Amino acid sequence: MIEVEGTLKSRLAVWLVVTVSALGVLLLVEAYFSAQRAAERAYDSQLEAAALTIAEAIQWEKGQPVVEIPSAALQILATRHQERVFYAVLDADGHTVSGNLDLGISPDWRRRVSSQPTWLNDSYHGTQWRLYGRELDSAGWETQDPVQIWVGHTMSGRDALTEALFEHAVTRFVVMVLLAGILMLLAMRVALAPMRRLRHQLRQRDADDMRPLEARVPEEMREMAETLDSLFTRQREGREALLRFTADASHQLKTPLAGLQTTSELALKSDSPDAWRQALTEVHGSAGRTSRLASQLLSLARLRHAVEASATSRIDAMSLLHETTFDWAQRDVSQAHDIGLAPLPAAPQYIQGEAWALRELLGNLIDNALRYTPPGSVITLGAVCHAQTLELYIEDDGPGVSPETLEHLHRPFERGGRQDTEGSGLGLAIVDSIVRRHEARMQVESAEKGGLRVRLLFPCLTRHEER
Amino acid sequence: MSIRRVALVWLLGALAPSLAWADNPLIVEAALDREVAAPLLDAFEAAHPHIQLTFRDRSTLEVDARVADADDPPDVVISSAMPWQMSRVNEGYAQRLDSPAAQAWPEWAKWRDEVFGFTFEPIVMAYRLDLSRHMMPPKTHADMHTLLTQHRETLRDKVTTYSPVRSGIGYTLFQQDARYTTRFWDLVAAMGAADTNLEANTRSMLEGLSEGRYWLGYNLLGSYAMVWAQSHPEVIVQVPQDYSLVMMRMAFIHRDAPHPAAARAFLDFLLGREGQRVIAGETPLFSVRSDVVGPYTAQRLRDQVGERLYPIPLNASLLAFVDPSRRTAFMDRWQREFRRLSHPAPAPSAAVTEPRIDKTPQR
């Protein structure tokens, strides 16, 4: 039983939401860090520019570095976010030539800056600062000591820019997801249109319309359409079979009933008790045949419709064959024939099946053989073991049937081209149904001695399945 | 409406006693003349009767020193020494003010939403009527230079201006002047040649003008000069026609303010419509807000003088003025230029030993 809740659309939507959110989290984390990097780059370059501007203002006077801090450098440092600013110009010994805050530039930092310009994050009185230091080699008349320039500012501009960039990224992402979702819905509508048309067509069908769909559908749905077509075909066939069966059954029942009517009418017109007696005898015989016909019809109908029944068990086919053969051999109807068993395999052979159905199967075959062969014929039952299958067979030395008729034999009311027997024509049809229920195969062929041979091939229970 | 009013009256009645007894002090350290600011302070006390305002009127140097006093920090700091105020804010001594009045305050008159320039005081020239009898009074900086060059002997000892050494405001104004043109140094040289008297504050200059000691004054605070001229007809105030600097008094709430709520109320009052209305109407400090009407507003000043008002920019560039080595270099140059014409052989650059801000009260 397939159980899929909800619509295909919601399933697709859930799938989309889950994957997109997982992907989105990753993307947004990446976006946040890249926004942070971008903001850092943008503002670090301002620190650099301010440091260069200050470097430009450094001069040597009497062996001492002198700097006249340019206002522009401070404005560059402050940025338009009005950061608090820090600057310091240190001489070679680390003494402050000029500066505003005492951020405490450590000797370690000074060493790092002496090799290359450096950016640093530092905390000062609970505020985060971004610092930049670079060393300047400047030539004076008396001394040529290097001078270090340190600049820094607070980080509200960076935070604001990061936030803004991140917000943009989030907005872009959300818009993209919404657009993708809408497009997805549209695409689903377009893609699922054939399915909707198919559904529409199926819904509008009449209950007994079993024609093929004749729909041109996309690749993915072709299989389903074909399956539907074959389902329709099977239904049509089943329906036709049922109609034929009903028509045949009615016909079969009508003939003996009409005979009964004629006989009883004739008897009623007569005044002779002898005629009455004879008529009653005929009526009795005819009623018996009709009753048998009706019971065969019933059992056939039951076999065909009781698909669900699965009260199967492991059955020893040999003893079943044995019992059934002897049961029939002792009956009155078989006294004119010679019913016997061919030599059977010594070991029990197990098959999976229903005992009553298998007995019915064998009984019908024996009954058929009795009815369609002249008295004195030899009827032989037997079993042969094959690798995968167990073969039960029954053969006679009667007149047999023509090859053309062979393939129709399993149809109901087919009498092998003979109208001279008392058979209903239902025997092999019942056999056929039972064989199908047991997933076995039936082969009808001409026997070596000239009669008919019916072979039933049952799947063997493997050793493994035997418990 | 009436129910509401009744409820309000009842509420006030219920709260009034507790408000009256509430111990809610506020300490304001200000380089702002108490007499000038009196109407403003009275209006504040009327608007906030539950706040006990202590207004300490000090010199800019003292105010600056009080900011760094960790043991007894003030609530609000007001000073006209713009670079020093800016430096303190940059050091992190101010706290942010996030009120509607602060938000609405013009961008050019605040920094980091921490410090606010709440006055708009033009820098002017002033001359005595005697001057116009001898020469055409100056209208521009160039006129000033021409007069000093052509009438050096007449004007000898009769010109006055700020001492950049003894006055923080004077130093700031000269720095700003020097930023605009190098010809400023010619003016300094010409003033030096005319034996210009260097005063520590505007009041001294105005007094000198009234007494007849001085004929011409350069870089006076317009706020004080205009009020002085009203009662002293012999003094004429001239707003320079080429450009006029504008000084703003800067106020901030101290980071460690012991009474932050009261401090915020005070600053909100200063920046708010009510406080600015008092500034515009009852003090000569000039209101910054354009939606305030009165005799002293920046807008009215602009209408009178035109677009030649150049407020000293309230941004990080001010920090350069307090840089010690820059200050030293500037003072060296000032001394050099001041003596250039009178003492052709330049004196050895005397190290500036005086404190960085004038010790005498600067108003």
Side-chain angles (χ1 to χ4, degrees):
Chain A
M1 192 71 189
I2 305 170
E3 283 191 45
V4 180
E5 304 267 318
T7 62
L8 281 180
K9 266 181 203 160
S10 61
R11 285 168 63 81
L12 278 171
V14 166
W15 179 239
L16 185 76
V17 163
V18 169
T19 49
V20 163
S21 0
L23 204 66
V25 168
L26 286 180
L27 273 177
L28 292 183
V29 168
E30 203 279 328
Y32 182 76
F33 284 113
S34 85
Q36 218 171 22
R37 277 196 302 276
E40 193 150 272
R41 269 200 302 277
Y43 282 94
D44 277 354
S45 67
Q46 293 217 350
L47 286 184
E48 202 173 7
L52 286 173
T53 313
I54 291 176
E56 200 64 20
I58 294 177
Q59 287 185 324
W60 291 86
E61 214 168 87
K62 300 192 194 84
Q64 289 295 318
V66 173
V67 60
E68 193 172 329
I69 291 297
S71 305
L74 299 174
Q75 273 180 286
I76 293 169
L77 275 182
T79 76
R80 57 184 184 80
H81 283 276
Q82 304 189 328
E83 308 281 5
R84 287 166 58 192
V85 305
F86 157 77
Y87 67 89
V89 178
L90 311 177
D91 66 13
D93 302 326
H95 297 306
T96 306
V97 175
S98 186
N100 66 342
L101 300 178
D102 185 21
L103 255 61
I105 304 297
S106 70
D108 182 40
W109 292 358
R110 279 195 281 121
R111 263 196 303 283
R112 275 167 67 183
V113 168
S114 64
S115 52
Q116 61 173 15
T118 305
W119 277 278
L120 288 165
N121 282 331
D122 186 32
S123 179
Y124 175 67
H125 286 314
T127 315
Q128 282 295 315
W129 288 72
R130 178 76 169 168
L131 304 182
Y132 171 70
R134 67 178 296 141
E135 192 158 274
L136 176 74
D137 283 318
S138 133
W141 286 4
E142 292 90 0
T143 44
Q144 290 82 31
D145 285 341
V147 177
Q148 282 197 359
I149 300 155
W150 284 85
V151 292
H153 58 198
T154 48
M155 295 172 57
S156 59
R158 290 161 195 264
D159 295 346
L161 183 58
T162 305
E163 209 171 286
L165 288 175
F166 182 60
E167 240 166 55
H168 285 168
V170 171
T171 313
R172 276 199 301 275
F173 178 74
V174 168
V175 168
M176 200 194 72
V177 167
L178 287 179
L179 278 179
I182 291 168
L183 287 178
M184 182 90 183
L185 281 180
L186 287 176
M188 262 154 55
R189 274 190 83 83
V190 172
L192 293 181
M195 196 168 227
R196 208 164 44 245
R197 282 208 301 277
L198 187 65
R199 192 178 62 211
H200 196 63
Q201 202 181 336
L202 285 176
R203 196 178 287 162
Q204 285 197 326
R205 251 173 192 252
D206 290 331
D208 52 356
D209 186 355
M210 296 294 169
R211 286 172 302 155
L213 284 170
E214 284 173 8
R216 288 166 63 93
V217 288
E219 199 76 40
E220 292 85 350
M221 288 170 58
R222 193 159 298 155
E223 204 177 335
M224 194 179 83
E226 280 166 3
T227 312
L228 273 176
D229 274 351
S230 79
L231 179 67
F232 283 140
T233 310
R234 268 181 294 157
Q235 290 227 331
R236 190 175 62 229
E237 283 171 2
R239 194 180 158 80
E240 279 166 7
L242 181 66
L243 287 173
R244 198 165 56 235
F245 178 79
T246 314
D248 287 353
S250 314
H251 184 70
Q252 292 298 325
L253 285 171
K254 190 185 154 209
T255 313
L257 288 174
L260 279 175
Q261 197 174 18
T262 315
T263 311
S264 51
E265 264 175 17
L266 282 172
L268 284 174
K269 281 179 187 162
S270 165
D271 292 332
S272 156
D274 288 345
W276 294 347
R277 166 162 278 279
Q278 192 190 347
L280 268 177
T281 315
E282 271 178 43
V283 164
H284 180 256
S286 184
R289 282 194 301 279
T290 312
S291 165
R292 184 170 163 277
L293 178 64
S295 76
Q296 271 188 320
L297 280 172
L298 259 177
S299 95
L300 188 58
R302 184 161 66 142
L303 280 167
R304 286 206 172 168
H305 290 95
V307 180
E308 297 281 324
S310 57
T312 61
S313 56
R314 249 168 99 244
I315 293 163
D316 177 12
M318 295 308 104
S319 57
L320 186 85
L321 186 61
H322 208 262
E323 279 167 25
T324 315
T325 311
F326 274 86
D327 177 28
W328 275 86
Q330 286 161 11
R331 293 191 189 182
D332 291 345
V333 286
S334 12
Q335 294 315 311
H337 291 78
D338 177 7
I339 300 180
L341 272 174
L344 298 177
Q349 299 292 325
Y350 291 102
I351 57 172
Q352 194 75 19
E354 292 160 293
W356 73 269
L358 289 171
R359 256 183 226 115
E360 185 85 353
L361 168 77
L362 291 174
N364 267 291
L365 285 172
I366 297 170
D367 189 40
N368 260 14
L370 290 174
R371 286 177 194 281
Y372 291 89
T373 54
S377 299
V378 180
I379 300 168
T380 312
L381 289 94
V384 183
C385 270
H386 299 291
Q388 301 287 326
T389 52
L390 173 68
E391 176 185 333
L392 301 181
Y393 67 89
I394 177 167
E395 62 179 8
D396 60 63
D397 57 353
V401 292
S402 64
E404 305 90 68
T405 334
L406 274 179
E407 47 192 276
H408 302 303
L409 279 181
H410 64 279
R411 285 192 188 164
F413 313 113
E414 186 68 50
R415 292 194 183 85
R418 306 246 309 262
Q419 303 299 330
D420 59 335
T421 73
E422 292 191 333
S424 61
L426 288 173
L428 270 185
I430 292 173
V431 168
D432 187 53
S433 293
I434 295 171
V435 162
R436 282 188 198 204
R437 279 164 70 90
H438 286 82
E439 294 172 1
R441 277 181 298 128
M442 178 170 76
Q443 291 175 353
V444 186
E445 56 196 30
S446 294
E448 292 153 25
K449 298 169 198 166
L452 197 70
R453 180 186 172 102
V454 179
R455 302 165 66 197
L456 305 168
L457 297 164
F458 287 93
C460 275
L461 283 183
T462 61
R463 297 274 154 208
H464 190 66
E465 279 169 305
E466 287 178 29
R467 277 157 287 171
Chain B
M1 189 67 190
S2 61
I3 293 172
R4 235 197 231 170
R5 188 166 290 169
V6 167
L8 194 65
V9 167
W10 177 86
L11 192 68
L12 284 177
L15 285 179
S18 63
L19 289 178
W21 294 324
D23 183 24
N24 202 350
L26 169 66
I27 296 155
V28 177
E29 297 282 357
L32 173 61
D33 197 333
R34 183 179 258 285
E35 288 164 36
V36 173
L40 191 62
L41 302 180
D42 293 344
F44 175 75
E45 279 171 338
H48 299 273
H50 56 288
I51 295 177
Q52 293 159 1
L53 172 67
T54 309
F55 186 83
R56 294 185 189 143
D57 176 13
R58 298 179 193 268
S59 76
T60 50
L61 178 71
E62 284 166 336
V63 168
D64 190 57
R66 287 282 288 116
V67 173
D69 186 350
D71 297 330
D72 180 26
D75 291 313
V76 174
V77 182
I78 297 174
S79 174
S80 53
M82 296 175 73
W84 283 269
Q85 284 285 83
M86 187 57 103
S87 175
R88 286 308 192 191
V89 172
N90 188 56
E91 282 165 35
Y93 276 107
Q95 63 171 273
R96 206 178 152 82
L97 178 66
D98 281 314
S99 65
Q103 293 296 316
W105 200 248
E107 286 295 328
W108 56 268
K110 65 180 176 184
W111 199 61
R112 293 174 61 80
D113 283 333
E114 290 179 351
V115 63
F116 302 87
F118 68 98
T119 66
F120 193 84
E121 303 171 49
I123 305 303
V124 299
M125 301 173 188
Y127 57 89
R128 204 176 151 76
L129 275 176
D130 295 351
L131 183 79
S132 54
R133 271 189 232 113
H134 293 87
M135 60 198 82
M136 207 36 201
K139 283 185 158 52
T140 64
H141 290 77
D143 287 352
M144 182 94 188
H145 180 242
T146 311
L147 282 188
L148 283 170
T149 314
Q150 292 176 353
H151 305 273
R152 182 181 298 171
E153 291 313 314
T154 322
L155 289 174
R156 185 171 296 282
D157 208 25
K158 294 260 185 275
V159 181
T160 184
T161 190
Y162 268 115
S163 157
V165 183
R166 288 188 289 145
S167 162
I169 295 174
Y171 166 74
T172 309
L173 296 176
F174 290 139
Q175 272 271 21
Q176 194 65 26
D177 273 332
R179 275 176 79 176
Y180 288 137
T181 170
T182 46
R183 290 191 60 201
F184 167 72
W185 294 114
D186 295 337
L187 181 60
V188 172
M191 285 198 288
D195 288 343
T196 295
N197 292 282
L198 302 180
E199 294 284 0
N201 53 52
T202 294
R203 182 166 297 260
S204 309
M205 293 188 245
L206 289 169
E207 280 165 3
L209 283 169
S210 284
E211 289 164 11
R213 284 189 283 125
Y214 307 138
W215 283 8
L216 181 57
Y218 175 71
N219 270 5
L220 286 76
L221 290 189
S223 46
Y224 296 146
M226 286 175 188
V227 175
W228 186 274
Q230 282 171 8
S231 53
H232 299 82
E234 70 279 4
V235 175
I236 311 289
V237 172
Q238 173 70 53
V239 179
Q241 297 293 295
D242 48 351
Y243 72 87
S244 170
L245 296 177
V246 175
M247 186 272 287
M248 284 182 279
R249 274 175 224 265
M250 288 161 64
F252 66 86
I253 302 172
H254 198 280
R255 177 188 66 203
D256 308 319
H259 318 104
R264 280 194 288 273
F266 185 75
L267 231 64
D268 274 342
F269 178 80
L270 277 191
L271 306 180
R273 182 185 271 273
E274 185 55 30
Q276 289 286 308
R277 196 188 56 72
V278 175
I279 286 176
E282 300 170 42
T283 71
L285 297 172
F286 290 91
S287 160
V288 174
R289 282 177 73 129
S290 53
D291 58 347
V292 168
V293 182
Y296 302 105
T297 64
Q299 194 53 50
R300 186 137 181 248
L301 197 64
R302 282 206 182 92
D303 293 343
Q304 286 170 358
V305 184
E307 290 302 318
R308 298 182 305 275
L309 295 172
Y310 286 79
I312 296 171
L314 209 161
N315 59 33
S317 65
L318 276 178
L319 294 171
F321 294 170
V322 288
D323 180 69
S325 60
R326 180 168 169 146
R327 183 171 156 87
T328 309
F330 183 83
M331 296 312 293
D332 284 352
R333 174 116 195 236
W334 167 272
Q335 304 286 4
R336 228 167 32 240
E337 298 284 352
F338 199 70
R339 288 177 189 147
R340 175 152 60 103
L341 297 178
S342 44
H343 309 275
S349 79
V352 180
T353 49
E354 285 166 273
R356 56 178 191 164
I357 310 182
D358 187 3
K359 271 201 170 105
T360 55
Q362 179 52 56
R363 283 140 203 183

